[in-house]
Amino acid sequence: MQELESRGFQPLGTRVTQGSGLTGRALSADGSTWADIGTLQSGLRNSWRQLLKTGVLRGAGCTAQFTTEFNNQTYLVTTNYDLAPSPGTGVERLPADTDPAAVAHRHMQRIEQYMRENQPLRPVIHACAAEIEAALLRAQTVRRPQPLTVAALQNLGMPPHLALLIAGDCAETAEPLPL
């Protein structure tokens, strides 16, 4: 969590320490990505020798999940633990021993690639834990594909005149736009 803070993430809630079994959440400085960090609980039984020898508790580790929501109601998730994909969520699972910093780096690469491939896509900006909770609830609902309408294209950031041109036959059934 300290490394995330040093890179501009703001912690939301409980501070996480290695071996505590706690989970924490942090929000990127731009509000577009949130991280869920979990530490695996270590059994202190028979771990003291290893702690004294190596400085690391046996069984202690860290799980990381980075999530970004986009204005077309899709999500990118990059994680190092098992996560079942849901409709509208692009999940990439990295090996369990992947460092959280490497998971974060891979997630940022995926955001850049996803936005290049899906123009004019924008990440949804969140400002607090409550907005992230609302985004998680949205992600859990089953999404149906949006029809290609003028309104749907404008929600994606398309200028009105281009949305009318692209919507084609659907434009006749769309609401009229003010010019």
Side-chain angles (χ1 to χ4, degrees):
M1 194 60 103
Q2 290 174 345
E3 188 170 342
L4 284 176
E5 287 180 51
S6 72
R7 299 190 186 267
F9 277 76
Q10 309 225 345
L12 301 171
T14 309
R15 238 185 197 305
V16 179
T17 57
Q18 184 176 3
S20 66
L22 297 175
T23 58
R25 180 168 284 155
L27 183 63
S28 64
D30 66 358
S32 67
T33 301
W34 66 90
D36 289 300
I37 304 294
T39 59
L40 304 175
Q41 195 164 13
S42 62
L44 292 178
R45 200 179 259 176
N46 299 323
S47 302
W48 287 108
R49 283 187 194 150
Q50 184 173 358
L51 176 63
L52 293 173
K53 185 176 178 182
T54 65
V56 178
L57 286 173
R58 181 178 27 206
C62 191
T63 61
Q65 175 179 319
F66 290 84
T67 307
T68 300
E69 179 183 13
F70 293 94
N71 61 333
N72 66 348
Q73 299 177 338
T74 60
Y75 295 78
L76 273 185
V77 177
T78 310
T79 185
N80 66 352
Y81 65 93
D82 285 327
L83 180 68
S86 60
T89 303
V91 176
E92 181 176 323
R93 185 186 185 280
L94 301 174
D97 60 348
T98 305
D99 182 58
V103 178
H105 181 69
R106 176 64 185 139
H107 186 72
M108 299 311 159
Q109 290 175 330
R110 291 183 67 215
I111 291 171
E112 186 177 327
Q113 178 184 355
Y114 191 69
M115 289 176 64
R116 260 196 321 266
E117 294 171 357
N118 297 282
Q119 291 291 334
L121 203 59
R122 293 186 316 259
V124 175
I125 305 302
H126 300 286
C128 63
E131 290 180 10
I132 292 172
E133 293 299 327
L136 289 172
L137 287 174
R138 286 191 298 274
Q140 292 171 357
T141 62
V142 177
R143 289 175 205 69
R144 294 185 180 100
Q146 288 186 339
L148 188 63
T149 64
V150 173
L153 290 171
Q154 284 185 310
N155 285 340
L156 293 173
M158 183 75 59
H161 64 283
L162 290 177
L164 279 169
L165 289 172
I166 293 170
D169 296 336
C170 296
E172 297 173 8
T173 60
E175 297 175 12
L177 296 172
L179 297 177

